[in-house]
Amino acid sequence: SQTTTNTVDTTVFTVTTSGVANGTYSYSNEPQLAVVFGGPKSTSGFSDLGGGDSLITLGLWSADDPSNCQPNPSQLTAGQVSCNNQVGSVTVQGGTLMHELGHTLALTHGGTYYTNSSDPSLPSYGLNCKANFLSVMNYLFQIRGFPDGGFDYSSQIFASLDEKGLSESAGIGSDSLGKLAAHFTRWYAPPNAIDLKLASTGAGPFATTHCDGTPITDGAQMVRVDGTTYSSPIDWNHDGTIEIGTISPQDVNFNGVIGDPAFQGFNDWQRVNLTQIGARRNVGGYSGDVSGADIFGGGADIFGGGADIFGGGADIFGGGADIFGGGADVFGGGAEVDFTLANSTVDPPAGLTCTNCVLSSGTFVESNKSVSLAWTPPGFGQIRTYYVWRAVGNFPTQSSIIANINSFSNIGTVKGSPPVASFTDSSVKKNTTYTYFVTDANLQNVQSGPSAPVTVTVH
C-alpha cells in the first residue's frame, strides 16, 4: 500500500497497489501522479487536435435572461425567447461548437503550415486573430461571427498581410483565385477621436485583454473595429479616411507585438483531416488500438494510455496542459476563448431610430418639443449602461462625426440590469437639426463604439 498525504488539507489517501515497491512518490520522480483541483473556469470549450474529445463548456457564461425565457428551445412558444444564462446564446453555442469541432478536424487558430525544407513534416502555426484569416477558428470570429453575419471555416487564401506595410486602399485584397473576401473582416486599431471622447464617461472603449487572451502589460489602448467592406478598402488605423500608400505599423491582431512576421492566408476546408472520425487519435494519426505491454495501444503505453505522452494524462497533443489544442496552448493560440476575453470588447447598439418622428424625404422630422429614441441592444454581453450623444448639425457618417466630435456631448445615461433601450430628449429647440448616436457599456465597464447615427430636424 502506498500512503499519500495532501499537504494542503492533510487528507491521507491510501492506494492499494500490486507489484509496486514501497516508496515516496512526488512530481520529481513520478510526474504523472498528482491530485489537483483547478477550480471552475469560464473557458468556452476544449478539444483534442486531430481527433479525440470535444467539450462545449459555457457553464460560467452569464447572460441577462427575461423572466419568461424558455430553458428548453424545443418548447418555445410565441413571444418567448430561449434562456442564455449559463449556456450561451445560440450564436455563442454555434460558433463554439464549430470552433471545437474544427480542432478535432486538425484545424488551429491561425492555420498549420509545412514550410521547413529540411523537415517537410514539421508543422508551424500561424498567429491568432489575423484579419486575412476569415475563419471561426480565429478568435476574432468565434463568438460573434463575421461582421456581416454567419460562421464558416476559411475557404480562401489571401496574400500575406504585413503589419509594417498595411495599405488601406488594398485592404486584405482578393484571394488566390482573384475573388473578393466572402465576409467582412475585423481588426484592432488605435483609438480615434470618437473613442477618446467616449472615454470621458469613465467607461473605456479600449480592449481589456489582447485578442489572443494574453494580458496587457504595457498599458496599450486599442479598439476592436468591424469592417464594412469586402476585401477593400479597409480603414486600418480607424481614422475615418482611406490613405494612399502604406500607413504606420500597427498591431492589427493585438497580441502585444507590432511587426509580427507577415500573416499568411490559410484555407481550412482544404486542410480538414477526417482520419480520426469515429476513433481516438494517436501519434501516427491511426485508429489502431492494441492492448498489453504495447508501445502503441495500452499497458505501459507511450502513445495510447497508461503513462501516455500522446493520448491522455499530462497530454501534450490533446488535453491537460495542451500545446496544440486548448489549455495552456502555445501553438494553436492562447487558452480557448473564455468569458473574460469575450467581454474584453463590446458591440454597439443597432437600429437607432426616432420613434415619434415622421420620415420625410429620407430625413426624420419632429414637430413636438421632444425626440424619442429607441435602439436594439447588442446580441452578446450583459449591458448595464447606455450613453446618448447629441450634436447640433447633420453628421451622417463616421468621418463627419470624427471631424466634429467636439460638438457632441453626452446628454443622457440610461442604467439598469439591463437598462431599457430607449431615451427621450426633451431639451430640443425648434428649427434645429440634431445628430444622435448611442453607445453601451457592459458589466465589465467596457464601452462600445458608436451606433450608426440618426439625424432629426425639429420644426
Side-chain angles (χ1 to χ4, degrees):
S1 298
Q2 310 300 323
T3 299
T4 301
T5 300
N6 184 323
T7 58
V8 175
D9 59 13
T10 70
T11 303
V12 175
F13 302 96
T14 300
V15 181
T16 301
T17 59
S18 175
V20 178
N22 292 335
T24 300
Y25 297 90
S26 65
Y27 186 81
S28 61
N29 60 22
E30 184 50 71
Q32 302 255 11
L33 181 65
V35 178
V36 297
F37 174 71
K41 300 178 180 179
S42 67
T43 305
S44 58
F46 176 88
S47 288
D48 293 325
L49 182 71
D53 301 320
S54 283
L55 299 174
I56 307 302
T57 53
L58 298 169
L60 294 181
W61 285 56
S62 300
D64 295 325
D65 284 331
S67 58
N68 67 335
C69 70
Q70 173 55 254
N72 186 342
S74 68
Q75 298 179 7
L76 281 174
T77 59
Q80 281 188 315
V81 296
S82 296
C83 299
N84 296 332
N85 190 40
Q86 307 298 323
V87 296
S89 67
V90 171
T91 299
V92 171
Q93 289 178 16
T96 300
L97 177 61
M98 194 169 181
H99 179 99
E100 298 304 333
L101 175 63
H103 282 315
T104 68
L105 300 176
L107 302 179
T108 59
H109 297 150
T112 304
Y113 304 89
Y114 296 88
T115 57
N116 189 320
S117 58
S118 61
D119 188 353
S121 65
L122 182 67
S124 61
Y125 300 89
L127 290 171
N128 207 340
C129 301
K130 300 184 297 187
N132 62 340
F133 180 45
L134 302 180
S135 171
V136 70
M137 302 307 298
N138 185 338
Y139 282 7
L140 287 170
F141 310 113
Q142 176 189 335
I143 299 302
R144 294 172 168 86
F146 301 115
D148 55 313
F151 296 94
D152 199 356
Y153 299 125
S154 170
S155 60
Q156 298 174 287
I157 299 177
F158 296 96
S160 295
L161 189 66
D162 187 354
E163 289 185 320
K164 302 183 296 295
L166 296 170
S167 167
E168 296 195 330
S169 58
I172 62 172
S174 300
D175 68 10
S176 57
L177 299 178
K179 297 181 179 180
L180 295 179
H183 300 283
F184 300 163
T185 191
R186 226 178 236 124
W187 67 96
Y188 284 79
N192 62 20
I194 298 176
D195 302 311
L196 297 176
K197 181 78 170 185
L198 301 182
S200 65
T201 63
F206 317 117
T208 56
T209 70
H210 289 133
C211 180
D212 60 5
T214 55
I216 300 171
T217 59
D218 59 358
Q221 293 183 330
M222 297 283 278
V223 296
R224 195 198 80 219
V225 184
D226 285 5
T228 57
T229 58
Y230 297 101
S231 290
S232 64
I234 290 178
D235 183 14
W236 291 118
N237 61 14
H238 187 45
D239 66 355
T241 61
I242 300 298
E243 282 92 346
I244 303 301
T246 58
I247 63 171
S248 298
Q250 180 177 310
D251 189 8
V252 288
N253 71 330
F254 196 36
N255 64 348
V257 178
I258 298 178
D260 284 310
F263 304 144
Q264 294 177 268
F266 189 80
N267 186 325
D268 286 330
W269 284 110
Q270 289 182 344
R271 302 299 290 272
V272 165
N273 187 338
L274 303 178
T275 304
Q276 286 299 306
I277 292 282
R280 290 299 299 269
R281 58 98 187 95
N282 53 59
V283 68
Y286 303 109
S287 57
D289 185 12
V290 183
S291 60
D294 181 17
I295 64 169
F296 288 106
D301 181 19
I302 64 169
F303 291 120
D308 181 18
I309 65 169
F310 287 111
D315 182 15
I316 65 169
F317 286 113
D322 181 19
I323 64 170
F324 286 112
D329 181 24
V330 297
F331 289 115
E336 291 286 64
V337 172
D338 63 11
F339 190 67
T340 299
L341 175 56
N343 285 280
S344 65
T345 60
V346 62
D347 305 319
L352 177 63
T353 189
C354 175
T355 59
N356 67 334
C357 298
V358 175
L359 190 61
S360 175
S361 301
T363 302
F364 282 117
V365 178
E366 172 53 28
S367 58
N368 296 318
K369 294 183 179 180
S370 65
V371 173
S372 295
L373 301 171
W375 53 88
T376 302
F380 176 79
Q382 293 174 284
I383 304 304
R384 291 295 178 266
T385 309
Y386 291 113
Y387 298 101
V388 181
W389 300 81
R390 187 190 73 183
V392 175
N394 181 14
F395 309 115
T397 64
Q398 185 186 56
S399 58
S400 63
I401 292 175
I402 292 175
N404 295 276
I405 190 60
N406 290 330
S407 298
F408 283 83
S409 59
N410 176 209
I411 63 165
T413 300
V414 186
K415 293 182 175 292
S417 300
V420 296
S422 62
F423 176 82
T424 297
D425 179 12
S426 300
S427 61
V428 296
K429 297 179 180 180
K430 289 186 175 182
N431 302 316
T432 306
T433 297
Y434 298 95
T435 297
Y436 298 89
F437 67 78
V438 179
T439 63
D440 54 56
N442 62 14
L443 184 61
Q444 292 73 22
N445 203 37
V446 181
Q447 189 174 176
S448 74
S451 67
V454 64
T455 299
V456 177
T457 297
V458 180
H459 289 319

